Amino acid sequence: MALGRAYSVAVRGLDGEIVEIEAHITSGLPGFHLVGLPDTALQESRDRVRAAITNCANSWPMSRLTVALSPATLPKMGSVYDIALACAVLSASRNKTWYRLEKTVLLGELALDGRVRPVHGVLPAVLAAKRQGWPTVVVPVGNLAEASLIDGIDVFGVSTLRQLQRWLAGNGQLEDRVEAPQPASDPFPDLSDVIGQSQARFAVEVAAAGAHHLMMTGPPGVGKTMLAQRLPGLLPTLTESEALEVTAIHSVAGLLSNTTPLITRPPFIAPHHSSSVAALVGGGSGMARPGAVSRAHRGVLFLDECAEIGTGALEALRTPLEDGNIRLARRDGVACYPARFQLVLAANPCPCAPADPKDCICSSQQRRRYLGKLSGPLLDRVDLRVQMHTVRAGAFADESAESTADVRARVGRGRLGALDRGRLRIVEALAGRERDELGPPPRVLAQPGLVEVDVVVAPRGPHEVVRGGAGLRQRIGVDHPVLAGDDGRNGTRG
């Protein structure tokens, strides 16, 4: 009887759990039995592992081989366990324990010739290994730049199973961690490309300064998409913790670049208007994958032609807009992904959408029905709404508009002042006690010269008024709102 042991990580959402892999060789008919709730891809690893071991000048045990993945009640998915399975089998077949194998987490898929291929979700897996105190992790060379983003743990890259065997035996070396190159300084288009539309430009700037959701309506070609594409360029660079969080989401989704894995700028996600509910909020069989709302975390989610999107998909946005995360229950468990984003909606005013409103042929009922897909609860979460109009020919002769760099500097100064006052949560839907940091809700004050108006608002309304005012004050550089008749000496603030 021989027993071998290796370790890997099971990633569920953005969380990881260490998986112990035990290989047991005993007398009996030759066979490879894999237990521990493996999925189809993991069941197929039996053939990959056997071919890789034999093609790397090793012998396959001609006895009964049982491989157990623990915890047994945790579903295991994917090919990330391949090299850990191979090392456990090799340790059992040689009846030999490698010291390094007991202190190392192994991640990677095996090719039939023994090459180690990249896998998804390496960044959250390395983070999980670090949190649980493991000193070393070995990843495919193709994932080495991604894994090297994590400090405080030894990270090595492996190219082949034979190279890994030599390293475990103390007779070879693996690739050391690499320094990822700096990403492009400003990957977003410039705001100066947008001619005219001063009102919409102002709304976009206020949205950037105050982290507001925005809706733009207008005929085709007036610049709705151009302005939305330029909003992420106005947002500040992600902090280190934010960058790692966003990068981990894209790692699970398999969208990271091999050359510049770290995402330091707010992402811009623009799904097609025919996208399903699963495409927007996440889904899939087994364990749910991150959707557009999670990939837009700490950035901008742009829904162009939002009036053409299915009602179910639109209504699914209400919970992540309010809570800042999305919980997806599927067969193999519940995945929780962060989803704090700025929502930008764009729509035509009616189905025919002529350049000149005078040419509209839609009835009033058709116009109401067209934008009627946007329910009241959804629109209640959108702070700013702007109606855009066709720019006349004379506007193109004006001098060029402000650039993204100029507006971003102004937005940055406003956000910095707001952070100093403790009045801003960057791209965060405020709820509960967090709203208290914005100050008390506005009250009707009896002052001479003020007209009292009876307005019915939802309980969320007063706080959104305060947030909107905060964003506007950050844009114009005013420290606090001044009420009518206030000379600045009575200390009255909203």
Side-chain angles (χ1 to χ4, degrees):
M1 182 181 71
L3 184 68
R5 185 178 289 109
Y7 300 91
S8 189
V9 177
V11 176
R12 297 165 57 87
L14 295 185
D15 300 322
E17 185 170 346
I18 296 296
V19 173
E20 181 182 11
I21 300 174
E22 297 173 295
H24 179 230
I25 300 176
T26 186
S27 59
L29 294 175
F32 190 167
H33 304 276
L34 190 61
V35 297
L37 295 184
D39 70 343
T40 302
L42 186 51
Q43 286 281 7
E44 293 174 347
S45 67
R46 295 178 296 183
D47 299 319
R48 292 194 300 270
V49 169
R50 179 168 184 166
I53 287 178
T54 56
N55 286 327
C56 290
N58 298 292
S59 59
W60 183 260
M62 300 305 295
S63 302
R64 179 182 176 86
L65 172 62
T66 303
V67 177
L69 294 86
S70 302
T73 57
L74 177 69
K76 313 339 182 271
M77 293 164 287
S79 57
V80 67
Y81 308 97
D82 282 8
I83 61 174
L85 286 170
C87 290
V89 171
L90 289 172
S91 176
S93 64
R94 299 184 180 188
N95 201 15
K96 178 180 180 182
T97 300
W98 289 301
Y99 171 77
R100 285 179 171 175
L101 187 60
E102 296 182 348
K103 303 293 183 180
T104 303
V105 171
L106 303 173
L107 308 169
E109 176 186 330
L110 280 174
L112 299 184
D113 59 356
R115 288 176 293 115
V116 180
R117 290 174 169 157
V119 291
H120 298 165
V122 165
L123 185 61
V126 176
L127 281 171
K130 176 187 174 182
R131 284 195 296 265
Q132 299 189 33
W134 286 81
T136 308
V137 60
V138 174
V139 302
V141 169
N143 296 120
L144 185 57
E146 174 185 347
S148 299
L149 299 174
I150 308 301
D151 296 324
I153 185 171
D154 294 332
V155 176
F156 297 99
V158 62
S159 299
T160 65
L161 178 60
R162 186 174 298 181
Q163 179 189 17
L164 180 59
Q165 285 182 250
R166 290 196 295 266
W167 179 78
L168 290 173
N171 299 323
Q173 298 293 326
L174 299 180
E175 301 290 336
D176 290 326
R177 67 167 60 239
V178 297
E179 294 294 333
Q182 293 297 323
S185 58
D186 199 351
F188 302 108
D190 200 275
L191 192 60
S192 61
D193 299 335
V194 182
I195 303 300
Q197 303 295 353
S198 57
Q199 183 183 23
R201 289 170 58 95
F202 182 78
V204 169
E205 184 176 347
V206 171
H212 300 296
H213 306 305
L214 172 66
M215 179 177 180
M216 296 179 286
T217 56
V222 295
K224 303 186 294 292
T225 302
M226 290 183 67
L227 285 170
Q229 291 172 340
R230 285 150 180 79
L231 175 58
L234 304 181
L235 302 178
T237 302
L238 300 177
T239 64
E240 182 178 356
S241 60
E242 291 172 344
L244 286 176
E245 188 178 31
V246 173
T247 304
I249 297 172
H250 287 248
S251 173
V252 172
L255 301 175
L256 286 185
S257 167
N258 292 332
T259 56
T260 56
L262 184 64
I263 299 175
T264 59
R265 296 293 302 162
F268 178 79
I269 305 298
H272 193 259
H273 61 77
S274 63
S275 297
S276 64
V277 175
L280 281 180
V281 302
S285 61
M287 183 62 65
R289 310 288 290 178
V293 297
S294 297
R295 299 198 307 273
H297 180 60
R298 302 293 179 185
V300 175
L301 176 65
F302 176 48
L303 298 183
D304 199 4
E305 305 293 347
C306 62
E308 304 289 346
I309 300 177
T311 303
L314 288 173
E315 294 305 304
L317 298 175
R318 287 160 53 178
T319 299
L321 281 174
E322 187 70 15
D323 297 341
N325 59 68
I326 184 72
R327 298 179 64 86
L328 303 167
R330 293 297 184 269
R331 180 197 65 206
D332 292 335
V334 178
C336 183
Y337 295 106
R340 296 201 181 277
F341 55 91
Q342 277 187 264
L343 176 65
V344 179
L345 302 173
N348 297 324
C350 64
C352 71
D356 192 337
K358 298 178 182 179
D359 300 329
C360 178
I361 61 174
C362 298
S363 65
S364 58
Q365 184 178 9
Q366 287 177 312
R367 295 172 66 91
R368 287 195 302 269
R369 187 186 303 118
Y370 187 68
L371 293 178
K373 288 184 178 180
L374 306 176
S375 67
L378 176 62
L379 290 179
D380 187 52
R381 291 162 168 82
V382 179
D383 308 321
L384 304 177
R385 305 176 203 174
V386 58
Q387 176 70 45
M388 300 175 64
H389 304 281
T390 304
V391 178
R392 300 301 177 184
F396 295 99
D398 296 340
E399 61 182 15
S400 59
E402 284 185 294
S403 66
T404 292
D406 295 336
V407 179
R408 182 169 58 218
R410 191 160 57 238
V411 169
R413 289 193 297 270
R415 283 187 166 227
L416 184 60
L419 287 172
D420 291 340
R421 297 189 298 272
R423 287 174 170 264
L424 182 65
R425 282 286 185 268
I426 305 299
V427 196
E428 186 167 336
L430 298 178
R433 283 179 289 180
E434 291 178 337
R435 286 195 175 107
D436 296 338
E437 298 188 8
L438 291 175
R443 298 182 296 272
V444 177
L445 302 179
Q447 292 190 16
L450 291 184
V451 179
E452 184 173 338
V453 181
D454 186 15
V455 180
V456 178
V457 296
R460 186 190 294 114
H463 296 286
E464 298 306 326
V465 171
V466 175
R467 288 194 67 221
L472 187 58
R473 294 198 306 273
Q474 291 153 29
R475 161 61 177 83
I476 63 179
V478 177
D479 197 37
H480 64 86
V482 180
L483 298 175
D486 181 14
D487 59 2
R489 292 175 294 181
N490 58 13
T492 303
R493 298 189 182 185

